[in-house]
């Protein structure tokens, strides 16, 4: 059995993160996003965007590994005000102590092995270390796999919805919120 772990990303991991994002989005999100949005993932700037994200002081990028393979990643940080505000623009009392799970992706061939759960638990621990008391994330309303994953971790929709325009499609997302004391879920 291979060793599995979660570790912090380094700049040299950017090409692999970009590759996992391309494969996972093309596998899971083509119908939701459209080919035009996915084509941007092939841009020469895609890897540099990941180098920049890894270096950003307010963001944590963590990797799930199995043996010598990087199999998934998670991006998290304290939630920007516009992410935690209500639809009317009002901030909750705990806005300054709310973390954002911006994305969790596991390459499909490595799915159902607990990597997503380890990434969520690792990100939650890092957010707690940074002073966050609860977390939020945005999930496409039609992404039943991600919605189920977060629900198993105890996260629930908080009633806030947003619609994103991908250039070809409109994508409705639900904001989920949950505790950062994460028990590993499969």
């Amino acid at each position: 059995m291979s060793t599995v772990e979660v570790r912090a990303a380094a700049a040299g991991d950017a090409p692999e993160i970009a590759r996992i994002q391309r494969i996972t989005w093309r596998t899971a999100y083509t119908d939701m996003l459209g080919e035009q949005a996915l084509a941007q993932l092939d841009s020469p700037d895609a890897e540099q965007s990941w180098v920049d994200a890894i270096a950003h002081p307010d963001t944590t990028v963590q990797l799930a590994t199995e043996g010598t393979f990087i199999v998934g990643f998670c991006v998290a940080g304290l939630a920007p005000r516009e992410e935690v505000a209500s639809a009317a623009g009002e901030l909750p009392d705990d806005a300054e102590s709310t973390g954002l799970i911006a994305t969790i992706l596991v390459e499909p061939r490595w799915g159902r092995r607990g990597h997503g759960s380890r990434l969520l638990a690792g990100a939650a621990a890092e957010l707690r270390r940074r002073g966050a008391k609860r977390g939020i994330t945005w999930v496409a309303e039609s992404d039943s796999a991600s919605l189920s994953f977060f629900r198993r971790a105890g996260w629930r929709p908080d009633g806030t919805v947003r619609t994103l325009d991908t250039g070809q499609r409109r994508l409705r997302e639900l904001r989920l919120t949950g505790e950062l004391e994460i028990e590993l879920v499969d």
Side-chain angles (χ1 to χ4, degrees), residues 78-170:
L78 291 177
R81 296 172 73 82
E82 63 273 8
E83 297 285 341
V84 75
S86 70
E90 298 167 353
L91 290 173
D93 292 339
D94 68 350
E96 300 300 319
S97 61
T98 301
L100 173 68
I101 304 293
T103 190
I104 293 180
L105 291 178
V106 175
E107 188 176 347
R109 67 185 174 127
W110 296 98
R112 310 305 271 166
R113 296 168 107 151
H115 297 298
S117 297
R118 283 186 285 280
L119 285 166
L120 180 58
E126 178 60 21
L127 289 171
R128 287 192 316 270
R129 190 187 71 71
R130 293 178 182 213
K133 306 290 185 223
R134 74 175 174 103
I136 61 169
T137 193
W138 293 92
V139 177
E141 186 176 46
S142 59
D143 184 354
S144 59
S146 293
L147 288 170
S148 292
F149 169 78
F150 280 103
R151 282 188 174 119
R152 285 192 311 274
W155 290 39
R156 300 286 181 261
D158 69 3
T160 305
V161 177
R162 70 180 179 189
T163 303
L164 304 176
D165 187 348
T166 71
Q168 285 181 282
R169 307 225 185 352
R170 294 180 63 76

Side-chain angles (χ1 to χ4, degrees), residues 20-40:
I20 290 168
Q21 183 181 28
R22 276 192 306 275
I23 288 171
T24 304
W25 280 27
R26 287 194 185 284
T27 301
Y29 303 126
T30 299
D31 290 342
M32 281 185 237
L33 300 174
E35 190 55 43
Q36 180 182 346
L38 295 175
Q40 295 175 20

